[in-house]
Amino acid sequence: CGLLTVDCGLEIMKKLKKLIHQGEGERLDFKQKITDPYKIAKTIASFANTKGGKILVGVRDDKTIMGVDPEEEKYTLETAAQFYCDPPVALQFKEVEDEEEEITVLEVTIPESQEKPHFVRDKNDQRLVYIRQRDKSIPAGKTMVDLMQKGELPDEPIDLTHLDHNERKLLSFLERHERVTLKQFMQIVNISRRRALRILHHLTREGAIRMHEQE
């Protein structure tokens, strides 16, 4: 079950607004309201499978603070974490109250898990592993799932000074474009599919990139 604390006061609200000002990213997500336990389970699992993070419930995507009924939201979140995530994910809840506006934001903390990977069961009982990529929760590739299961996914990326020409060229492209397909990579460095896949798997194992077999 989730842990709960309640915080109120001007300084606490200032800290919350400062956090909201950062915007959504790899470790922060906004939800105006939780309506579907399956959808929020993907976000919960993606944080647990990556570096951990926070969900602020009662905050719109444009950073507007709307507030929520925390008890109703906690029930849906616990359902998502306990029944849609496998293994279940532990949540920590904090209610942040704005006494002037008389609204409450529910801050949900998901620590990085020591039980990776966490699968998400969909409504057809199929299971997928999600990870956090910038401000999105997306399916992890088979290589990443295998590394999680073996406990071999590195915490920090490799020393990039030891990369060869093709690997440097790939990372340079990704710095500008964020993503690349296998076919694009083959064309960029003019190599075979087998060699391109070998490089991609190597860089994934070393923590320099993330591979996804789905769009």
Side-chain angles (χ1 to χ4, degrees), residues 160-207:
L160 303 183
T161 59
H162 298 297
L163 300 181
D164 66 23
H165 173 72
N166 289 336
E167 292 168 336
R168 288 176 184 275
K169 203 164 184 179
L170 170 63
L171 294 186
S172 176
F173 181 89
L174 288 173
E175 284 180 358
R176 302 190 304 273
H177 300 281
E178 184 181 350
R179 65 178 63 190
V180 66
T181 65
L182 173 60
K183 186 176 180 180
Q184 285 174 327
F185 178 43
M186 290 165 57
Q187 293 171 343
I188 290 167
V189 296
N190 192 27
I191 58 176
S192 69
R193 177 185 175 87
R194 178 179 294 182
R195 188 175 175 194
L197 276 172
R198 189 163 60 245
I199 290 173
L200 294 177
H201 283 289
H202 167 70
L203 290 177
T204 300
R205 287 194 302 271
E206 297 293 346

Short mmCIF file of all heavy atoms in Angstrom, two decimals, residues 160-207:
data_model
loop_
_atom_site.label_atom_id
_atom_site.label_comp_id
_atom_site.label_asym_id
_atom_site.label_seq_id
_atom_site.Cartn_x
_atom_site.Cartn_y
_atom_site.Cartn_z
N LEU A 160 32.16 7.90 -23.64
CA LEU A 160 31.96 8.04 -25.09
C LEU A 160 33.25 8.32 -25.85
O LEU A 160 33.26 8.28 -27.08
CB LEU A 160 30.95 9.18 -25.34
CG LEU A 160 29.58 9.00 -24.67
CD1 LEU A 160 28.65 10.13 -25.06
CD2 LEU A 160 28.96 7.66 -25.03
N THR A 161 34.35 8.55 -25.15
CA THR A 161 35.61 8.82 -25.85
C THR A 161 36.17 7.56 -26.51
O THR A 161 37.05 7.65 -27.37
CB THR A 161 36.67 9.38 -24.87
OG1 THR A 161 36.90 8.43 -23.82
CG2 THR A 161 36.19 10.70 -24.28
N HIS A 162 35.68 6.38 -26.13
CA HIS A 162 36.21 5.13 -26.67
C HIS A 162 35.36 4.58 -27.82
O HIS A 162 35.59 3.45 -28.25
CB HIS A 162 36.31 4.07 -25.56
CG HIS A 162 37.25 4.48 -24.46
ND1 HIS A 162 38.59 4.67 -24.67
CD2 HIS A 162 37.03 4.74 -23.15
CE1 HIS A 162 39.18 5.02 -23.53
NE2 HIS A 162 38.24 5.08 -22.60
N LEU A 163 34.40 5.34 -28.30
CA LEU A 163 33.55 4.87 -29.39
C LEU A 163 34.28 4.96 -30.72
O LEU A 163 35.15 5.81 -30.92
CB LEU A 163 32.27 5.70 -29.46
CG LEU A 163 31.38 5.69 -28.21
CD1 LEU A 163 30.14 6.54 -28.46
CD2 LEU A 163 30.98 4.28 -27.83
N ASP A 164 33.88 4.08 -31.65
CA ASP A 164 34.48 4.16 -32.99
C ASP A 164 33.74 5.18 -33.84
O ASP A 164 32.78 5.81 -33.40
CB ASP A 164 34.52 2.78 -33.66
CG ASP A 164 33.12 2.23 -33.96
OD1 ASP A 164 32.16 3.01 -34.09
OD2 ASP A 164 32.99 1.00 -34.09
N HIS A 165 34.17 5.33 -35.09
CA HIS A 165 33.63 6.36 -35.97
C HIS A 165 32.13 6.21 -36.20
O HIS A 165 31.37 7.19 -36.13
CB HIS A 165 34.36 6.32 -37.33
CG HIS A 165 33.77 7.24 -38.35
ND1 HIS A 165 33.91 8.61 -38.29
CD2 HIS A 165 33.03 6.97 -39.47
CE1 HIS A 165 33.27 9.16 -39.32
NE2 HIS A 165 32.73 8.19 -40.05
N ASN A 166 31.68 4.99 -36.46
CA ASN A 166 30.26 4.75 -36.74
C ASN A 166 29.39 5.03 -35.51
O ASN A 166 28.30 5.59 -35.61
CB ASN A 166 30.04 3.31 -37.21
CG ASN A 166 30.58 3.07 -38.59
OD1 ASN A 166 30.71 4.01 -39.39
ND2 ASN A 166 30.89 1.82 -38.90
N GLU A 167 29.89 4.66 -34.33
CA GLU A 167 29.14 4.90 -33.10
C GLU A 167 29.05 6.40 -32.79
O GLU A 167 27.99 6.90 -32.39
CB GLU A 167 29.81 4.15 -31.94
CG GLU A 167 29.69 2.63 -32.08
CD GLU A 167 30.58 1.88 -31.11
OE1 GLU A 167 31.60 2.46 -30.67
OE2 GLU A 167 30.27 0.73 -30.79
N ARG A 168 30.14 7.11 -33.01
CA ARG A 168 30.12 8.56 -32.79
C ARG A 168 29.15 9.24 -33.75
O ARG A 168 28.42 10.16 -33.39
CB ARG A 168 31.52 9.15 -33.00
CG ARG A 168 32.51 8.81 -31.90
CD ARG A 168 33.89 9.36 -32.27
NE ARG A 168 34.87 8.97 -31.29
CZ ARG A 168 35.11 9.64 -30.16
NH1 ARG A 168 34.40 10.71 -29.88
NH2 ARG A 168 36.04 9.23 -29.33
N LYS A 169 29.14 8.76 -35.00
CA LYS A 169 28.26 9.35 -36.01
C LYS A 169 26.79 9.15 -35.63
O LYS A 169 25.95 10.04 -35.79
CB LYS A 169 28.55 8.74 -37.37
CG LYS A 169 28.13 9.61 -38.54
CD LYS A 169 28.79 9.12 -39.83
CE LYS A 169 28.45 10.07 -40.98
NZ LYS A 169 29.08 9.64 -42.25
N LEU A 170 26.48 7.97 -35.09
CA LEU A 170 25.12 7.68 -34.66
C LEU A 170 24.70 8.61 -33.52
O LEU A 170 23.62 9.21 -33.56
CB LEU A 170 25.01 6.23 -34.20
CG LEU A 170 23.71 5.84 -33.49
CD1 LEU A 170 22.52 5.99 -34.43
CD2 LEU A 170 23.79 4.43 -32.94
N LEU A 171 25.56 8.74 -32.51
CA LEU A 171 25.20 9.57 -31.36
C LEU A 171 25.10 11.04 -31.74
O LEU A 171 24.28 11.78 -31.21
CB LEU A 171 26.21 9.37 -30.23
CG LEU A 171 26.23 7.97 -29.61
CD1 LEU A 171 27.16 7.93 -28.42
CD2 LEU A 171 24.83 7.54 -29.19
N SER A 172 25.92 11.47 -32.69
CA SER A 172 25.84 12.84 -33.19
C SER A 172 24.49 13.08 -33.86
O SER A 172 23.85 14.12 -33.67
CB SER A 172 26.98 13.11 -34.17
OG SER A 172 26.87 14.40 -34.72
N PHE A 173 24.04 12.10 -34.64
CA PHE A 173 22.73 12.20 -35.30
C PHE A 173 21.62 12.26 -34.26
O PHE A 173 20.68 13.06 -34.37
CB PHE A 173 22.53 11.01 -36.23
CG PHE A 173 21.23 11.02 -36.97
CD1 PHE A 173 21.11 11.65 -38.21
CD2 PHE A 173 20.10 10.40 -36.44
CE1 PHE A 173 19.90 11.66 -38.89
CE2 PHE A 173 18.89 10.41 -37.10
CZ PHE A 173 18.78 11.04 -38.34
N LEU A 174 21.71 11.42 -33.21
CA LEU A 174 20.67 11.38 -32.20
C LEU A 174 20.60 12.65 -31.37
O LEU A 174 19.54 13.04 -30.88
CB LEU A 174 20.88 10.17 -31.28
CG LEU A 174 20.58 8.81 -31.90
CD1 LEU A 174 21.00 7.68 -30.97
CD2 LEU A 174 19.11 8.68 -32.24
N GLU A 175 21.73 13.32 -31.20
CA GLU A 175 21.72 14.60 -30.49
C GLU A 175 20.87 15.63 -31.21
O GLU A 175 20.24 16.49 -30.60
CB GLU A 175 23.16 15.12 -30.33
CG GLU A 175 23.95 14.40 -29.26
CD GLU A 175 25.36 14.95 -29.14
OE1 GLU A 175 25.69 15.86 -29.93
OE2 GLU A 175 26.11 14.46 -28.29
N ARG A 176 20.84 15.53 -32.53
CA ARG A 176 20.09 16.50 -33.34
C ARG A 176 18.65 16.07 -33.61
O ARG A 176 17.78 16.91 -33.75
CB ARG A 176 20.80 16.74 -34.68
CG ARG A 176 22.22 17.24 -34.56
CD ARG A 176 22.77 17.69 -35.91
NE ARG A 176 22.69 16.66 -36.93
CZ ARG A 176 23.62 15.74 -37.13
NH1 ARG A 176 24.70 15.72 -36.36
NH2 ARG A 176 23.49 14.83 -38.09
N HIS A 177 18.42 14.75 -33.67
CA HIS A 177 17.11 14.27 -34.12
C HIS A 177 16.36 13.42 -33.10
O HIS A 177 15.23 13.03 -33.37
CB HIS A 177 17.29 13.47 -35.41
CG HIS A 177 17.90 14.25 -36.54
ND1 HIS A 177 17.18 15.14 -37.30
CD2 HIS A 177 19.16 14.30 -37.00
CE1 HIS A 177 17.98 15.69 -38.21
NE2 HIS A 177 19.20 15.20 -38.05
N GLU A 178 16.96 13.08 -32.00
CA GLU A 178 16.34 12.32 -30.90
C GLU A 178 16.15 10.85 -31.20
O GLU A 178 16.35 10.01 -30.33
CB GLU A 178 14.99 12.94 -30.50
CG GLU A 178 14.36 12.25 -29.29
CD GLU A 178 13.01 12.83 -28.89
OE1 GLU A 178 12.62 13.88 -29.41
OE2 GLU A 178 12.34 12.21 -28.06
N ARG A 179 15.77 10.48 -32.42
CA ARG A 179 15.54 9.07 -32.73
C ARG A 179 16.03 8.75 -34.13
O ARG A 179 16.18 9.64 -34.98
CB ARG A 179 14.06 8.71 -32.61
CG ARG A 179 13.16 9.41 -33.61
CD ARG A 179 11.72 8.96 -33.47
NE ARG A 179 11.18 9.30 -32.17
CZ ARG A 179 10.03 8.87 -31.70
NH1 ARG A 179 9.30 8.05 -32.42
NH2 ARG A 179 9.60 9.24 -30.52
N VAL A 180 16.28 7.46 -34.36
CA VAL A 180 16.73 7.00 -35.67
C VAL A 180 16.22 5.58 -35.88
O VAL A 180 16.12 4.81 -34.91
CB VAL A 180 18.28 7.04 -35.78
CG1 VAL A 180 18.91 6.05 -34.82
CG2 VAL A 180 18.75 6.79 -37.20
N THR A 181 15.86 5.24 -37.10
CA THR A 181 15.46 3.87 -37.40
C THR A 181 16.68 3.07 -37.81
O THR A 181 17.73 3.63 -38.15
CB THR A 181 14.44 3.83 -38.55
OG1 THR A 181 15.07 4.29 -39.75
CG2 THR A 181 13.23 4.71 -38.23
N LEU A 182 16.55 1.74 -37.80
CA LEU A 182 17.64 0.87 -38.23
C LEU A 182 18.02 1.20 -39.68
O LEU A 182 19.21 1.30 -40.01
CB LEU A 182 17.22 -0.59 -38.11
CG LEU A 182 18.18 -1.64 -38.67
CD1 LEU A 182 19.54 -1.56 -37.98
CD2 LEU A 182 17.58 -3.03 -38.55
N LYS A 183 17.03 1.36 -40.54
CA LYS A 183 17.30 1.65 -41.95
C LYS A 183 18.05 2.97 -42.11
O LYS A 183 19.00 3.07 -42.90
CB LYS A 183 15.98 1.69 -42.72
CG LYS A 183 16.15 1.85 -44.23
CD LYS A 183 14.80 1.77 -44.93
CE LYS A 183 14.98 1.92 -46.45
NZ LYS A 183 13.66 1.84 -47.14
N GLN A 184 17.65 3.99 -41.35
CA GLN A 184 18.34 5.28 -41.42
C GLN A 184 19.79 5.14 -40.99
O GLN A 184 20.69 5.69 -41.61
CB GLN A 184 17.63 6.30 -40.53
CG GLN A 184 16.32 6.83 -41.09
CD GLN A 184 15.60 7.73 -40.08
OE1 GLN A 184 15.67 7.51 -38.87
NE2 GLN A 184 14.92 8.75 -40.59
N PHE A 185 20.03 4.41 -39.90
CA PHE A 185 21.39 4.23 -39.41
C PHE A 185 22.25 3.52 -40.44
O PHE A 185 23.40 3.90 -40.68
CB PHE A 185 21.35 3.45 -38.09
CG PHE A 185 22.71 3.15 -37.51
CD1 PHE A 185 23.71 4.12 -37.50
CD2 PHE A 185 22.99 1.90 -36.97
CE1 PHE A 185 24.97 3.85 -36.98
CE2 PHE A 185 24.24 1.63 -36.45
CZ PHE A 185 25.23 2.61 -36.45
N MET A 186 21.71 2.49 -41.08
CA MET A 186 22.45 1.78 -42.13
C MET A 186 22.87 2.72 -43.25
O MET A 186 23.98 2.66 -43.77
CB MET A 186 21.59 0.65 -42.69
CG MET A 186 21.36 -0.51 -41.73
SD MET A 186 20.01 -1.61 -42.26
CE MET A 186 20.59 -2.09 -43.89
N GLN A 187 21.96 3.65 -43.61
CA GLN A 187 22.24 4.60 -44.69
C GLN A 187 23.24 5.66 -44.26
O GLN A 187 24.12 6.06 -45.03
CB GLN A 187 20.94 5.25 -45.16
CG GLN A 187 19.98 4.28 -45.84
CD GLN A 187 18.62 4.89 -46.11
OE1 GLN A 187 18.25 5.91 -45.53
NE2 GLN A 187 17.85 4.26 -47.00
N ILE A 188 23.13 6.12 -43.01
CA ILE A 188 24.00 7.19 -42.52
C ILE A 188 25.47 6.77 -42.54
O ILE A 188 26.35 7.52 -42.96
CB ILE A 188 23.59 7.60 -41.09
CG1 ILE A 188 22.24 8.33 -41.12
CG2 ILE A 188 24.65 8.51 -40.45
CD1 ILE A 188 21.61 8.51 -39.75
N VAL A 189 25.74 5.53 -42.10
CA VAL A 189 27.13 5.08 -42.01
C VAL A 189 27.50 4.06 -43.10
O VAL A 189 28.63 3.59 -43.14
CB VAL A 189 27.43 4.49 -40.61
CG1 VAL A 189 27.30 5.57 -39.54
CG2 VAL A 189 26.50 3.33 -40.30
N ASN A 190 26.52 3.73 -43.94
CA ASN A 190 26.75 2.84 -45.09
C ASN A 190 27.31 1.48 -44.65
O ASN A 190 28.41 1.06 -45.06
CB ASN A 190 27.70 3.50 -46.10
CG ASN A 190 27.73 2.75 -47.42
OD1 ASN A 190 26.76 2.09 -47.79
ND2 ASN A 190 28.85 2.85 -48.12
N ILE A 191 26.54 0.79 -43.80
CA ILE A 191 26.95 -0.54 -43.33
C ILE A 191 25.78 -1.50 -43.48
O ILE A 191 24.65 -1.10 -43.73
CB ILE A 191 27.42 -0.51 -41.86
CG1 ILE A 191 26.31 0.03 -40.96
CG2 ILE A 191 28.70 0.29 -41.70
CD1 ILE A 191 26.65 0.00 -39.48
N SER A 192 26.07 -2.79 -43.30
CA SER A 192 25.05 -3.83 -43.45
C SER A 192 24.09 -3.83 -42.26
O SER A 192 24.40 -3.29 -41.19
CB SER A 192 25.71 -5.20 -43.56
OG SER A 192 26.30 -5.56 -42.32
N ARG A 193 22.94 -4.48 -42.45
CA ARG A 193 21.95 -4.61 -41.39
C ARG A 193 22.53 -5.33 -40.17
O ARG A 193 22.34 -4.90 -39.04
CB ARG A 193 20.72 -5.36 -41.92
CG ARG A 193 19.64 -5.62 -40.88
CD ARG A 193 18.52 -6.47 -41.46
NE ARG A 193 17.55 -6.81 -40.44
CZ ARG A 193 16.51 -6.07 -40.11
NH1 ARG A 193 16.30 -4.92 -40.74
NH2 ARG A 193 15.66 -6.46 -39.18
N ARG A 194 23.26 -6.42 -40.43
CA ARG A 194 23.82 -7.19 -39.33
C ARG A 194 24.79 -6.36 -38.50
O ARG A 194 24.76 -6.38 -37.27
CB ARG A 194 24.52 -8.44 -39.87
CG ARG A 194 25.17 -9.29 -38.77
CD ARG A 194 25.84 -10.52 -39.33
NE ARG A 194 24.85 -11.45 -39.89
CZ ARG A 194 25.16 -12.63 -40.41
NH1 ARG A 194 26.43 -13.02 -40.46
NH2 ARG A 194 24.22 -13.42 -40.88
N ARG A 195 25.66 -5.61 -39.19
CA ARG A 195 26.64 -4.80 -38.47
C ARG A 195 25.95 -3.65 -37.72
O ARG A 195 26.32 -3.33 -36.59
CB ARG A 195 27.67 -4.24 -39.44
CG ARG A 195 28.83 -3.54 -38.75
CD ARG A 195 29.88 -3.11 -39.75
NE ARG A 195 30.94 -2.35 -39.11
CZ ARG A 195 31.83 -1.63 -39.77
NH1 ARG A 195 31.80 -1.60 -41.10
NH2 ARG A 195 32.78 -0.97 -39.12
N ALA A 196 24.93 -3.07 -38.35
CA ALA A 196 24.19 -1.98 -37.70
C ALA A 196 23.50 -2.47 -36.43
O ALA A 196 23.55 -1.82 -35.38
CB ALA A 196 23.18 -1.38 -38.67
N LEU A 197 22.88 -3.64 -36.52
CA LEU A 197 22.22 -4.21 -35.34
C LEU A 197 23.22 -4.52 -34.23
O LEU A 197 22.93 -4.29 -33.05
CB LEU A 197 21.47 -5.49 -35.73
CG LEU A 197 20.07 -5.30 -36.31
CD1 LEU A 197 19.53 -6.62 -36.84
CD2 LEU A 197 19.13 -4.70 -35.29
N ARG A 198 24.39 -5.01 -34.60
CA ARG A 198 25.42 -5.32 -33.60
C ARG A 198 25.82 -4.05 -32.85
O ARG A 198 25.99 -4.07 -31.63
CB ARG A 198 26.63 -5.96 -34.28
CG ARG A 198 27.66 -6.51 -33.30
CD ARG A 198 28.61 -7.49 -33.95
NE ARG A 198 29.37 -6.86 -35.03
CZ ARG A 198 29.28 -7.21 -36.30
NH1 ARG A 198 28.45 -8.18 -36.67
NH2 ARG A 198 30.01 -6.61 -37.22
N ILE A 199 25.98 -2.94 -33.58
CA ILE A 199 26.35 -1.67 -32.95
C ILE A 199 25.23 -1.18 -32.03
O ILE A 199 25.48 -0.74 -30.90
CB ILE A 199 26.67 -0.61 -34.03
CG1 ILE A 199 27.97 -0.97 -34.75
CG2 ILE A 199 26.77 0.79 -33.40
CD1 ILE A 199 28.28 -0.08 -35.94
N LEU A 200 23.98 -1.27 -32.51
CA LEU A 200 22.85 -0.80 -31.71
C LEU A 200 22.70 -1.61 -30.42
O LEU A 200 22.46 -1.05 -29.35
CB LEU A 200 21.56 -0.86 -32.52
CG LEU A 200 21.47 0.09 -33.72
CD1 LEU A 200 20.18 -0.14 -34.49
CD2 LEU A 200 21.57 1.54 -33.29
N HIS A 201 22.85 -2.91 -30.52
CA HIS A 201 22.76 -3.76 -29.33
C HIS A 201 23.90 -3.45 -28.36
O HIS A 201 23.70 -3.40 -27.14
CB HIS A 201 22.78 -5.24 -29.72
CG HIS A 201 21.48 -5.74 -30.27
ND1 HIS A 201 20.36 -5.91 -29.50
CD2 HIS A 201 21.11 -6.09 -31.53
CE1 HIS A 201 19.36 -6.35 -30.24
NE2 HIS A 201 19.79 -6.47 -31.49
N HIS A 202 25.10 -3.23 -28.89
CA HIS A 202 26.25 -2.91 -28.03
C HIS A 202 26.01 -1.59 -27.29
O HIS A 202 26.23 -1.52 -26.06
CB HIS A 202 27.51 -2.80 -28.89
CG HIS A 202 28.68 -2.18 -28.17
ND1 HIS A 202 29.34 -2.82 -27.14
CD2 HIS A 202 29.28 -0.96 -28.33
CE1 HIS A 202 30.30 -2.03 -26.69
NE2 HIS A 202 30.28 -0.91 -27.39
N LEU A 203 25.57 -0.56 -27.99
CA LEU A 203 25.36 0.74 -27.35
C LEU A 203 24.21 0.69 -26.35
O LEU A 203 24.22 1.42 -25.35
CB LEU A 203 25.10 1.81 -28.41
CG LEU A 203 26.31 2.18 -29.28
CD1 LEU A 203 25.91 3.19 -30.35
CD2 LEU A 203 27.45 2.73 -28.44
N THR A 204 23.21 -0.16 -26.60
CA THR A 204 22.12 -0.33 -25.64
C THR A 204 22.63 -0.99 -24.37
O THR A 204 22.32 -0.56 -23.25
CB THR A 204 20.99 -1.17 -26.25
OG1 THR A 204 20.49 -0.52 -27.42
CG2 THR A 204 19.84 -1.34 -25.26
N ARG A 205 23.45 -2.05 -24.53
CA ARG A 205 24.02 -2.73 -23.36
C ARG A 205 24.89 -1.79 -22.53
O ARG A 205 24.97 -1.92 -21.31
CB ARG A 205 24.84 -3.95 -23.80
CG ARG A 205 24.01 -5.13 -24.28
CD ARG A 205 24.86 -6.40 -24.36
NE ARG A 205 26.00 -6.22 -25.26
CZ ARG A 205 25.97 -6.47 -26.55
NH1 ARG A 205 24.84 -6.87 -27.13
NH2 ARG A 205 27.04 -6.31 -27.31
N GLU A 206 25.54 -0.84 -23.20
CA GLU A 206 26.45 0.08 -22.50
C GLU A 206 25.72 1.31 -21.96
O GLU A 206 26.34 2.16 -21.31
CB GLU A 206 27.56 0.53 -23.45
CG GLU A 206 28.47 -0.60 -23.93
CD GLU A 206 29.29 -1.20 -22.81
OE1 GLU A 206 29.37 -0.58 -21.74
OE2 GLU A 206 29.87 -2.29 -22.99
N GLY A 207 24.43 1.43 -22.23
CA GLY A 207 23.65 2.53 -21.66
C GLY A 207 23.72 3.83 -22.44
O GLY A 207 23.27 4.87 -21.96
#
